């Protein structure tokens, strides 16, 4: 006759709390990932439209000047800023 498998001990309160915290952290990470993806898609869409519209290029430049204040962020946007300025001049012709 087979011996019955030993029953697993019930998780402690600390283990249950840790599992719940892990579950919440995974859900939070998933939500942040979704939000970041949405921001990237929206940003790409806006830049795509701005490449064809001098008014939107001008508006984006104004928003960048107003909202982006950290020097490191401004440097990361240097190429985009130059492109938007170039688009304004190119599309005015």
């Amino acid at each position: 006759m087979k011996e019955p498998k030993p029953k697993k001990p019930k998780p402690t309160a600390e283990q249950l709390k840790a599992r719940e915290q892990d579950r919440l952290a995974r859900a939070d990470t998933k939500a942040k990932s979704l939000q970041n993806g949405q921001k990237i898609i929206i940003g790409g869409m806006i830049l795509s439209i701005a490449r064809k519209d001098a008014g939107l290029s001008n508006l984006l430049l104004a928003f960048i000047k107003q909202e982006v204040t950290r020097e490191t962020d401004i440097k990361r946007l240097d190429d985009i800023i130059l492109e938007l300025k170039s688009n304004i001049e190119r599309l005015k012709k």
Side-chain angles (χ1 to χ4, degrees), residues 28-39:
D28 188 48
T29 299
K30 188 174 182 179
K32 285 180 183 177
S33 178
L34 176 63
Q35 289 174 346
N36 287 338
Q38 291 169 335
K39 290 175 188 177

Side-chain angles (χ1 to χ4, degrees), residues 16-37:
L16 291 173
K17 183 178 177 181
R19 287 179 189 170
E20 181 63 13
Q21 287 174 338
D22 287 345
R23 186 188 69 75
L24 291 173
R26 283 191 302 276
D28 188 48
T29 299
K30 188 174 182 179
K32 285 180 183 177
S33 178
L34 176 63
Q35 289 174 346
N36 287 338

